[in-house]
Amino acid sequence: MTGEKCEVSSAREAADALRRVVSRAREDATEGEPSAEAIDELARLAGVLGRTVDMVAGEDGGAVRQRAAELATAIAAHRDQRTR
């Protein structure tokens, strides 16, 4: 498999994993359970995505990584508000 095809495959796998997190969060919400775990997972995914984009782009500490870290922090803050 070429590098480009491998990257596309990895991106599809990541998108599938994100869909599973969303599906699990919806199931938890239907059962009346808090979705703090799913929100935590989304915060982790935001950070991973930012680091991955920087890695692929050959940047270290680039703007995407910084914004992704800000998003992860905002998601965690949202979780904290929901679970109080």
Side-chain angles (χ1 to χ4, degrees):
M1 181 179 295
T2 66
E4 187 175 310
K5 286 183 181 179
C6 183
E7 290 170 3
V8 169
S9 176
S10 294
R12 286 186 181 137
E13 289 173 15
D16 289 343
L18 182 57
R19 281 190 279 278
R20 286 191 299 273
V21 168
V22 170
S23 177
R24 191 171 64 234
R26 286 183 180 149
E27 289 173 8
D28 290 348
T30 301
E31 296 171 6
E33 297 177 19
S35 60
E37 183 179 327
I39 294 172
D40 283 342
E41 188 66 20
L42 292 170
R44 281 190 291 276
L45 286 169
V48 168
L49 183 59
R51 290 189 300 274
T52 303
V53 169
D54 272 5
M55 183 186 68
V56 170
E59 297 180 14
D60 185 25
V64 172
R65 184 177 191 162
Q66 182 180 3
R67 297 292 188 261
E70 292 169 4
L71 176 60
T73 299
I75 292 169
H78 177 72
R79 181 222 41 235
D80 291 344
Q81 289 177 346
R82 287 184 50 118
T83 58
R84 286 184 184 175

